[in-house]
Amino acid sequence: MVGGGEGAFIGAVHRRALRLDGTCTLVCGAFSSDPSAAREFGANLGVDAARAYGSWQEMLEIEASLPDSERMEAVSVVTPNHLHLPIATAALHAGFHVVSDKPATISLSEARELATAVEKSGRCYVLTHTYLGYPMVREARRLVQEGVLGRVRKVYVEYTQGWLVDRLEKENKQAAWRVDPARSGPSGCMGDIGSHAHNITEFITGARMETVRAWLQCVVEGRALDDDGAVFFKMSNGATGVLTASQICAGEENFLAIRVYGEKAGLIWNQEEPNTLMIKYADGQQKRVRAGVNMPLGATALDVSRTPSGHPEGYLGAFSTLYTDFAKMVRNNMHASPGPDEIGYTPGIDAALRGMAFIEAVVDSSNADGEWRDVVNVR
């Protein structure tokens, strides 16, 4: 692991998630940009002192020199965004697989450079869009694919939080880097959580956002990057939609919700009630679909279910599903990110490219007073 040291939220999440299914083990790391802090934190985690490294460069060099049976197999990148590309590409060049937090890079040009590195390396790459690991999100995709909704016409997706309602960046380092263009990239809120909303929309519908019309703003005075925004979008299947992302909604915790409407029915799912998927039919009937290993769900949902009905499938479980899929990719020598008929629905380099193309189109549109902009077709 690179990053995720003292006070880092997402690093602790990664460490808990990778252990949950017993498919991955943390064996070494460079957990801080401060060498002494990195080594101390690694020791506190129980990592072998000889493998609690002072820098990620040192880690890659020493681990690559070890015999195959002793070296690490993969690197988990949980740093601020601006470090994703150099660490991931160096790890790939050294022969290691990579799991990276999102967004993959801070620009589309960087994402393309990363894609080239992935393809040349022959190694696996996974991007942790956590919410694709939920059973009911995979069930929603199946229902759309099987035509339960009919042709998709409309999508509403929102991701709202309230943690940046005040200017925390002066004392909170997690807030500080997320609103710093040098470390976060060209967008704050839309890059941080709007990218999740974009990703889950394309995943469930099976279509791509092709054009966007966006409006971003900084609500909190003195903030350098957007903390609030909205996007109108048109999709490759003819559907249209609205995406909203905000981190200044007082009282909200982590409300990611999506509604997808077709000719025959609509579906509703939200991350704070992850076990329930609602289907609303045009004739007024409604169906409440529930998660659980004992429920009549499709194989793609049951394969990632862990608990009987009535026991919530949680955030750490969804996160762990991505690590478990990643481990299967590595064990099966799958050198490219998998498709839906292979190992799960794990987001890889294509998701990385699509995410950065979306962010750049949204920023460009907002800077042009909401003019329509194409989302670059990266494949």
Coordinates of all heavy atoms in Angstrom, one line a residue, residues 259-324:
R259 N -32.2 6.9 -10.0 CA -33.5 6.5 -10.5 C -33.3 6.3 -12.0 O -32.9 7.2 -12.7 CB -34.6 7.5 -10.2 CG -34.9 7.6 -8.7 CD -36.0 8.7 -8.5 NE -35.4 10.0 -8.6 CZ -36.1 11.1 -8.9 NH1 -37.3 11.1 -9.2 NH2 -35.4 12.3 -9.0
V260 N -33.7 5.2 -12.5 CA -33.6 4.9 -14.0 C -35.0 4.5 -14.5 O -35.7 3.6 -13.9 CB -32.7 3.7 -14.2 CG1 -32.6 3.4 -15.7 CG2 -31.3 4.0 -13.7
Y261 N -35.5 5.2 -15.5 CA -36.9 5.0 -16.0 C -36.8 4.6 -17.5 O -36.2 5.2 -18.3 CB -37.7 6.4 -15.9 CG -37.8 6.8 -14.5 CD1 -37.0 7.9 -14.0 CD2 -38.8 6.3 -13.7 CE1 -37.2 8.3 -12.7 CE2 -38.9 6.7 -12.4 CZ -38.1 7.7 -11.9 OH -38.3 8.2 -10.6
G262 N -37.6 3.5 -17.7 CA -37.7 3.0 -19.1 C -39.1 3.1 -19.6 O -40.0 3.8 -19.0
E263 N -39.4 2.4 -20.7 CA -40.8 2.5 -21.2 C -41.8 1.8 -20.4 O -43.0 2.1 -20.4 CB -40.8 1.9 -22.6 CG -39.9 2.6 -23.6 CD -39.6 1.7 -24.9 OE1 -39.2 0.5 -24.7 OE2 -39.9 2.2 -26.0
K264 N -41.4 0.7 -19.7 CA -42.3 -0.1 -18.9 C -42.2 0.0 -17.4 O -43.2 -0.3 -16.7 CB -42.0 -1.6 -19.3 CG -42.2 -1.9 -20.8 CD -42.1 -3.4 -21.1 CE -40.7 -3.9 -20.9 NZ -40.6 -5.4 -21.3
A265 N -41.1 0.5 -16.9 CA -40.9 0.5 -15.5 C -39.7 1.4 -15.1 O -38.9 1.8 -16.0 CB -40.7 -0.9 -14.9
G266 N -39.6 1.7 -13.8 CA -38.5 2.5 -13.3 C -37.9 1.7 -12.1 O -38.6 0.9 -11.5
L267 N -36.6 2.0 -11.8 CA -36.0 1.4 -10.6 C -35.4 2.5 -9.8 O -34.9 3.6 -10.3 CB -35.0 0.3 -11.0 CG -33.7 0.7 -11.8 CD1 -32.6 1.3 -10.9 CD2 -33.2 -0.6 -12.5
I268 N -35.3 2.3 -8.5 CA -34.8 3.2 -7.6 C -33.8 2.5 -6.6 O -34.2 1.5 -6.0 CB -35.9 4.0 -6.8 CG1 -36.9 4.7 -7.7 CG2 -35.3 5.0 -5.8 CD1 -38.1 5.2 -7.0
W269 N -32.6 3.0 -6.4 CA -31.7 2.5 -5.4 C -31.0 3.6 -4.7 O -30.6 4.6 -5.4 CB -30.7 1.5 -6.0 CG -29.7 0.9 -5.1 CD1 -29.9 -0.2 -4.3 CD2 -28.4 1.4 -4.8 NE1 -28.8 -0.4 -3.5 CE2 -27.8 0.6 -3.8 CE3 -27.6 2.5 -5.3 CZ2 -26.5 0.7 -3.3 CZ3 -26.3 2.6 -4.8 CH2 -25.8 1.8 -3.8
N270 N -30.7 3.5 -3.4 CA -29.9 4.5 -2.7 C -28.9 3.8 -1.8 O -29.3 2.8 -1.1 CB -30.7 5.6 -2.1 CG -31.1 5.4 -0.7 OD1 -30.3 5.4 0.2 ND2 -32.4 5.1 -0.5
Q271 N -27.7 4.4 -1.7 CA -26.6 3.7 -1.0 C -26.8 3.7 0.5 O -26.2 2.8 1.2 CB -25.3 4.5 -1.3 CG -24.0 3.8 -0.9 CD -23.5 4.1 0.5 OE1 -22.8 3.3 1.1 NE2 -23.9 5.2 1.1
E272 N -27.6 4.5 1.1 CA -27.9 4.5 2.5 C -28.9 3.5 2.9 O -29.1 3.2 4.1 CB -28.3 5.9 3.0 CG -27.1 6.9 2.9 CD -27.5 8.3 3.5 OE1 -28.6 8.5 3.9 OE2 -26.6 9.1 3.5
E273 N -29.6 2.9 1.9 CA -30.5 1.7 2.1 C -30.2 0.7 1.1 O -31.0 0.4 0.2 CB -32.0 2.2 2.0 CG -32.5 3.2 3.0 CD -32.6 2.6 4.4 OE1 -32.7 1.3 4.5 OE2 -32.7 3.4 5.3
P274 N -28.9 0.1 1.2 CA -28.4 -0.6 0.0 C -29.1 -2.0 -0.2 O -28.9 -2.5 -1.3 CB -26.9 -0.8 0.5 CG -27.0 -0.8 1.9 CD -28.0 0.2 2.3
N275 N -29.8 -2.5 0.7 CA -30.4 -3.8 0.5 C -31.7 -3.8 -0.3 O -32.2 -4.8 -0.6 CB -30.8 -4.5 1.9 CG -29.6 -5.2 2.5 OD1 -28.4 -4.9 2.3 ND2 -29.9 -6.3 3.2
T276 N -32.2 -2.6 -0.6 CA -33.5 -2.5 -1.2 C -33.4 -1.9 -2.6 O -32.8 -0.8 -2.8 CB -34.5 -1.6 -0.4 OG1 -34.7 -2.2 0.9 CG2 -35.9 -1.5 -1.1
L277 N -34.0 -2.5 -3.6 CA -34.2 -2.0 -4.9 C -35.7 -2.0 -5.3 O -36.4 -3.0 -5.2 CB -33.4 -2.9 -5.9 CG -33.5 -2.6 -7.4 CD1 -32.8 -1.3 -7.7 CD2 -32.9 -3.7 -8.2
M278 N -36.2 -0.8 -5.6 CA -37.6 -0.6 -5.9 C -37.8 -0.6 -7.4 O -37.1 0.0 -8.1 CB -38.1 0.7 -5.3 CG -38.3 0.7 -3.8 SD -39.5 -0.6 -3.2 CE -41.0 -0.1 -4.0
I279 N -38.8 -1.4 -7.8 CA -39.2 -1.4 -9.2 C -40.7 -0.9 -9.3 O -41.5 -1.4 -8.6 CB -39.2 -2.8 -9.8 CG1 -37.9 -3.6 -9.5 CG2 -39.4 -2.8 -11.3 CD1 -36.7 -2.9 -10.1
K280 N -40.9 0.2 -10.1 CA -42.2 0.8 -10.2 C -42.6 0.6 -11.7 O -42.0 1.0 -12.6 CB -42.2 2.3 -9.9 CG -41.8 2.5 -8.4 CD -42.0 4.0 -8.1 CE -41.8 4.3 -6.6 NZ -42.0 5.7 -6.3
Y281 N -43.8 -0.1 -11.9 CA -44.3 -0.4 -13.2 C -45.3 0.7 -13.7 O -45.9 1.4 -12.9 CB -44.9 -1.8 -13.2 CG -43.9 -2.9 -12.9 CD1 -43.7 -3.3 -11.6 CD2 -43.2 -3.5 -13.9 CE1 -42.8 -4.3 -11.3 CE2 -42.3 -4.5 -13.6 CZ -42.1 -4.9 -12.3 OH -41.2 -5.9 -12.0
A282 N -45.4 0.8 -15.0 CA -46.3 1.8 -15.6 C -47.7 1.6 -15.2 O -48.5 2.6 -15.2 CB -46.1 1.8 -17.1
D283 N -48.1 0.4 -14.9 CA -49.5 0.1 -14.5 C -49.8 0.4 -13.0 O -50.9 0.1 -12.5 CB -50.0 -1.3 -14.8 CG -49.2 -2.4 -14.1 OD1 -48.4 -2.0 -13.2 OD2 -49.4 -3.6 -14.3
G284 N -48.8 0.9 -12.3 CA -49.0 1.3 -10.9 C -48.5 0.3 -9.9 O -48.4 0.5 -8.7
Q285 N -48.2 -0.9 -10.4 CA -47.7 -2.0 -9.4 C -46.3 -1.6 -9.0 O -45.5 -0.9 -9.8 CB -47.7 -3.3 -10.1 CG -49.1 -3.9 -10.4 CD -49.0 -5.3 -11.0 OE1 -48.6 -6.2 -10.3 NE2 -49.3 -5.4 -12.2
Q286 N -45.9 -2.0 -7.8 CA -44.5 -1.8 -7.3 C -44.0 -3.1 -6.8 O -44.7 -3.9 -6.2 CB -44.5 -0.7 -6.3 CG -44.9 0.6 -6.7 CD -44.7 1.7 -5.7 OE1 -44.0 1.5 -4.7 NE2 -45.3 2.9 -5.9
K287 N -42.7 -3.3 -6.9 CA -42.0 -4.5 -6.4 C -40.8 -4.1 -5.6 O -40.0 -3.3 -6.1 CB -41.6 -5.4 -7.6 CG -41.0 -6.7 -7.1 CD -40.6 -7.6 -8.3 CE -40.0 -8.9 -7.9 NZ -39.7 -9.7 -9.1
R288 N -40.7 -4.6 -4.4 CA -39.6 -4.3 -3.5 C -38.7 -5.5 -3.5 O -39.0 -6.6 -3.0 CB -40.1 -4.1 -2.1 CG -39.1 -3.7 -1.0 CD -39.9 -3.2 0.2 NE -39.0 -3.0 1.3 CZ -38.7 -3.8 2.3 NH1 -39.3 -5.0 2.3 NH2 -38.0 -3.5 3.3
V289 N -37.5 -5.4 -4.2 CA -36.5 -6.4 -4.3 C -35.5 -6.3 -3.2 O -35.0 -5.2 -3.0 CB -35.8 -6.4 -5.7 CG1 -34.9 -7.6 -5.8 CG2 -36.9 -6.4 -6.8
R290 N -35.3 -7.4 -2.4 CA -34.4 -7.3 -1.3 C -33.1 -8.2 -1.5 O -33.2 -9.2 -2.1 CB -35.1 -7.8 0.0 CG -36.3 -6.8 0.4 CD -35.7 -5.6 1.1 NE -35.2 -5.9 2.4 CZ -34.5 -5.1 3.1 NH1 -34.0 -4.0 2.6 NH2 -34.1 -5.5 4.3
A291 N -32.0 -7.7 -0.9 CA -30.8 -8.4 -0.9 C -30.8 -9.6 0.0 O -31.5 -9.6 1.0 CB -29.6 -7.5 -0.6
G292 N -29.9 -10.6 -0.2 CA -29.8 -11.7 0.7 C -29.4 -13.0 -0.1 O -29.8 -13.2 -1.3
V293 N -28.6 -13.8 0.5 CA -28.1 -15.0 -0.2 C -29.3 -16.0 -0.4 O -29.2 -16.9 -1.2 CB -27.0 -15.7 0.6 CG1 -25.8 -14.9 0.7 CG2 -27.5 -16.1 2.0
N294 N -30.4 -15.8 0.3 CA -31.5 -16.7 0.2 C -32.6 -16.1 -0.7 O -33.8 -16.6 -0.7 CB -32.1 -17.0 1.6 CG -32.5 -15.7 2.3 OD1 -31.8 -14.7 2.3 ND2 -33.6 -15.8 3.1
M295 N -32.4 -15.0 -1.4 CA -33.4 -14.3 -2.2 C -33.3 -14.7 -3.6 O -32.2 -15.1 -4.1 CB -33.2 -12.8 -2.0 CG -33.4 -12.3 -0.5 SD -34.9 -12.8 0.2 CE -36.0 -11.5 -0.5
P296 N -34.4 -14.5 -4.4 CA -34.4 -14.9 -5.8 C -33.8 -13.8 -6.7 O -34.5 -13.1 -7.5 CB -35.9 -15.1 -6.1 CG -36.6 -14.1 -5.2 CD -35.7 -14.2 -3.9
L297 N -32.5 -13.7 -6.6 CA -31.8 -12.6 -7.4 C -31.0 -13.3 -8.5 O -30.8 -14.5 -8.6 CB -30.8 -11.9 -6.5 CG -31.4 -11.2 -5.2 CD1 -30.3 -10.7 -4.3 CD2 -32.3 -10.1 -5.6
G298 N -30.5 -12.5 -9.4 CA -29.7 -13.0 -10.5 C -28.3 -13.4 -10.0 O -27.9 -13.1 -8.9
A299 N -27.6 -14.2 -10.8 CA -26.3 -14.8 -10.4 C -25.3 -13.7 -10.1 O -24.5 -13.8 -9.1 CB -25.8 -15.7 -11.5
T300 N -25.3 -12.6 -10.8 CA -24.3 -11.5 -10.6 C -24.5 -10.9 -9.2 O -23.5 -10.4 -8.6 CB -24.4 -10.4 -11.7 OG1 -25.7 -9.9 -11.8 CG2 -24.0 -11.0 -13.0
A301 N -25.7 -10.8 -8.7 CA -26.0 -10.3 -7.3 C -25.7 -11.3 -6.3 O -25.0 -11.0 -5.3 CB -27.4 -9.8 -7.2
L302 N -26.1 -12.6 -6.5 CA -25.9 -13.6 -5.5 C -24.4 -13.9 -5.3 O -24.0 -14.2 -4.2 CB -26.7 -14.9 -5.9 CG -28.2 -14.8 -5.8 CD1 -28.8 -16.1 -6.3 CD2 -28.6 -14.6 -4.3
D303 N -23.7 -13.8 -6.4 CA -22.2 -14.1 -6.3 C -21.5 -13.2 -5.4 O -20.4 -13.6 -4.9 CB -21.6 -14.0 -7.7 CG -22.0 -15.2 -8.6 OD1 -22.5 -16.2 -8.1 OD2 -21.7 -15.2 -9.8
V304 N -22.0 -12.0 -5.1 CA -21.3 -11.1 -4.3 C -22.1 -10.8 -3.0 O -21.8 -9.9 -2.2 CB -21.0 -9.7 -5.0 CG1 -20.1 -10.0 -6.2 CG2 -22.3 -9.0 -5.5
S305 N -23.1 -11.6 -2.7 CA -23.9 -11.5 -1.5 C -23.2 -12.3 -0.4 O -22.7 -13.4 -0.6 CB -25.3 -12.0 -1.7 OG -26.0 -11.2 -2.7
R306 N -23.3 -11.8 0.8 CA -22.6 -12.5 1.9 C -23.6 -12.9 3.1 O -23.2 -13.7 3.9 CB -21.5 -11.6 2.5 CG -20.4 -11.3 1.6 CD -19.4 -10.3 2.2 NE -18.2 -10.1 1.3 CZ -18.3 -9.3 0.2 NH1 -19.4 -8.6 0.0 NH2 -17.2 -9.1 -0.5
T307 N -24.7 -12.2 3.2 CA -25.6 -12.4 4.3 C -27.0 -12.8 4.0 O -27.5 -12.5 2.9 CB -25.7 -11.0 5.1 OG1 -26.2 -10.0 4.3 CG2 -24.3 -10.6 5.5
P308 N -27.7 -13.4 4.9 CA -29.1 -13.7 4.7 C -29.9 -12.4 4.6 O -29.5 -11.4 5.1 CB -29.5 -14.6 5.9 CG -28.2 -15.0 6.5 CD -27.2 -14.0 6.2
S309 N -31.1 -12.5 4.1 CA -32.0 -11.3 4.0 C -32.2 -10.7 5.3 O -32.3 -11.4 6.3 CB -33.3 -11.7 3.3 OG -33.9 -12.8 4.1
G310 N -32.3 -9.4 5.4 CA -32.5 -8.7 6.6 C -31.2 -8.3 7.3 O -31.2 -7.6 8.3
H311 N -30.1 -8.8 6.8 CA -28.8 -8.4 7.3 C -28.1 -7.5 6.3 O -27.8 -8.0 5.2 CB -27.9 -9.6 7.6 CG -28.5 -10.5 8.7 ND1 -29.5 -11.4 8.4 CD2 -28.2 -10.6 10.0 CE1 -29.8 -12.0 9.5 NE2 -29.1 -11.6 10.5
P312 N -27.8 -6.2 6.6 CA -27.4 -5.3 5.6 C -26.1 -5.7 4.9 O -25.1 -6.1 5.6 CB -27.2 -4.0 6.3 CG -28.2 -4.1 7.5 CD -28.1 -5.6 7.9
E313 N -26.1 -5.6 3.6 CA -24.8 -5.7 2.8 C -24.2 -4.3 2.8 O -24.7 -3.4 2.3 CB -25.1 -6.1 1.4 CG -25.6 -7.6 1.3 CD -24.5 -8.6 1.4 OE1 -23.4 -8.2 1.5 OE2 -24.9 -9.8 1.4
G314 N -23.0 -4.2 3.5 CA -22.5 -2.8 3.7 C -21.4 -2.3 2.8 O -21.0 -3.0 1.9
Y315 N -20.9 -1.2 3.1 CA -19.9 -0.5 2.4 C -18.6 -1.2 2.3 O -18.0 -1.4 1.2 CB -19.7 0.9 3.0 CG -18.6 1.8 2.4 CD1 -18.7 2.3 1.2 CD2 -17.4 2.0 3.1 CE1 -17.7 3.1 0.6 CE2 -16.4 2.8 2.6 CZ -16.6 3.4 1.4 OH -15.6 4.2 0.8
L316 N -18.2 -1.8 3.4 CA -16.9 -2.5 3.5 C -17.1 -3.8 2.6 O -16.1 -4.2 2.0 CB -16.5 -2.9 4.9 CG -16.0 -1.7 5.7 CD1 -15.7 -2.2 7.1 CD2 -14.8 -1.0 5.1
G317 N -18.2 -4.4 2.6 CA -18.5 -5.6 1.8 C -18.4 -5.3 0.3 O -17.8 -6.0 -0.5
A318 N -19.0 -4.1 -0.1 CA -18.9 -3.7 -1.4 C -17.5 -3.4 -1.9 O -17.1 -3.8 -3.0 CB -19.8 -2.5 -1.6
F319 N -16.8 -2.8 -1.0 CA -15.4 -2.5 -1.3 C -14.6 -3.8 -1.4 O -13.7 -4.0 -2.3 CB -14.8 -1.7 -0.1 CG -13.8 -0.6 -0.6 CD1 -14.1 0.8 -0.3 CD2 -12.7 -0.9 -1.2 CE1 -13.3 1.8 -0.7 CE2 -11.8 0.1 -1.6 CZ -12.1 1.4 -1.4
S320 N -14.8 -4.7 -0.5 CA -14.1 -6.0 -0.5 C -14.4 -6.8 -1.8 O -13.5 -7.5 -2.3 CB -14.5 -6.9 0.7 OG -13.8 -8.1 0.8
T321 N -15.6 -6.7 -2.3 CA -15.9 -7.4 -3.5 C -15.0 -7.0 -4.7 O -14.5 -7.8 -5.5 CB -17.4 -7.0 -4.0 OG1 -18.3 -7.7 -3.1 CG2 -17.7 -7.5 -5.4
L322 N -14.6 -5.7 -4.7 CA -13.6 -5.3 -5.8 C -12.3 -5.9 -5.6 O -11.6 -6.3 -6.5 CB -13.5 -3.8 -5.8 CG -14.8 -3.0 -6.0 CD1 -14.5 -1.5 -6.2 CD2 -15.6 -3.5 -7.2
Y323 N -11.8 -6.0 -4.3 CA -10.5 -6.7 -4.0 C -10.6 -8.2 -4.3 O -9.7 -8.8 -4.9 CB -10.1 -6.5 -2.6 CG -9.3 -5.2 -2.4 CD1 -9.8 -4.1 -1.9 CD2 -7.9 -5.2 -2.7 CE1 -9.1 -2.9 -1.7 CE2 -7.1 -4.1 -2.5 CZ -7.7 -2.9 -2.0 OH -6.9 -1.8 -1.9
T324 N -11.8 -8.8 -4.1 CA -11.9 -10.2 -4.3 C -11.9 -10.5 -5.8 O -11.3 -11.4 -6.3 CB -13.2 -10.7 -3.7 OG1 -13.1 -10.6 -2.3 CG2 -13.4 -12.2 -4.0

